[in-house]
Amino acid sequence: MTGTSFAEKLAGTRIETDAGAYILLPARPDDAEFANGLLKQTMDNYVRATWDDEADIAAYYVRNAFEGRAGDTLILYRQDKEGREPVGAVTAHDDLTPDGEKAIDLGEIHLVPSVQGQGLGQAIISEIIAKAAPLPVTLMVLEANPARHLYERLGFTVDRPGQGDTAHRLHMIRR
């Protein structure tokens, strides 16, 4: 993909579910507190189930902090007659598979608890798959994270286990 990043391609995507109307918009610098807080809120149980050492836990949050991914992050807003409310953060970018094949990497998808379990994550991932076509979509998921089952339902398969600083994670791909 030349000229436009994948995050830019996703910007403005509208998602309609039975639970409401949503839009993905580019993250701004002042979204850091929301995105980092949401990462911790949604992942802390899985991170702590994976690592015992506080240094490893801290390293996870540094690696996945908004500041290192700001250009590839979109904020998901619920839209209603009162306006917009941030309810999620999605990170996606152009990448390569280990074989050198062009792909789209779904780096992060986090939703506030009040909108989880309503099909919104599935709708977002389906939009990403559709906009990425014909490229494959890849992601890494902590072995302890039950989201793996959603990814499998959407056609992702485990490509390889993580290694080194990605141990305890599974690399998944959807072709």
Side-chain angles (χ1 to χ4, degrees), residues 21-72:
Y22 303 86
I23 188 168
L24 286 166
L25 295 175
R28 302 177 317 256
D30 62 346
D31 289 319
E33 184 177 348
F34 170 75
N36 289 334
L38 185 58
L39 171 68
K40 188 157 176 96
Q41 179 183 22
T42 59
M43 292 301 296
D44 205 52
N45 288 339
Y46 312 123
V47 169
R48 291 186 180 281
T50 301
W51 293 284
D52 294 330
D53 186 310
E54 288 298 321
D56 290 336
I57 293 168
Y60 173 87
Y61 289 115
V62 168
R63 262 194 319 275
N64 293 288
F66 172 81
E67 291 77 8
R69 299 173 175 220
D72 296 325

Side-chain angles (χ1 to χ4, degrees), residues 15 17 20 22 76 87 109 111 115 117-125:
I15 298 166
T17 70
Y22 303 86
L76 179 71
V87 295
I109 180 169
L111 302 172
V115 300
Q118 300 174 20
L120 187 53
Q122 180 173 325
I124 293 166
I125 295 167

Side-chain angles (χ1 to χ4, degrees), residues 35-165:
N36 289 334
L38 185 58
L39 171 68
K40 188 157 176 96
Q41 179 183 22
T42 59
M43 292 301 296
D44 205 52
N45 288 339
Y46 312 123
V47 169
R48 291 186 180 281
T50 301
W51 293 284
D52 294 330
D53 186 310
E54 288 298 321
D56 290 336
I57 293 168
Y60 173 87
Y61 289 115
V62 168
R63 262 194 319 275
N64 293 288
F66 172 81
E67 291 77 8
R69 299 173 175 220
D72 296 325
T73 299
L74 298 140
I75 302 299
L76 179 71
Y77 291 91
R78 179 183 3 227
Q79 297 191 137
D80 58 27
K81 57 186 174 254
E82 282 88 42
R84 292 182 178 155
E85 170 192 10
V87 295
V90 177
T91 302
H93 63 275
D94 306 291
D95 202 8
L96 295 174
T97 67
D99 299 330
E101 176 184 12
K102 287 183 181 179
I104 300 301
D105 183 66
L106 174 55
E108 302 288 334
I109 180 169
H110 303 289
L111 302 172
V112 298
S114 65
V115 300
Q116 292 176 6
Q118 300 174 20
L120 187 53
Q122 180 173 325
I124 293 166
I125 295 167
S126 295
E127 283 289 330
I128 290 169
I129 291 167
K131 287 194 169 154
L135 299 177
V137 177
T138 63
L139 57 85
M140 296 278 283
V141 61
L142 288 175
E143 291 174 347
N145 189 338
R148 172 185 178 182
H149 303 296
L150 168 63
Y151 304 141
E152 289 170 339
R153 281 196 316 271
L154 292 172
F156 286 84
T157 58
V158 175
D159 182 72
R160 66 183 190 283
Q163 302 171 353
D165 70 345

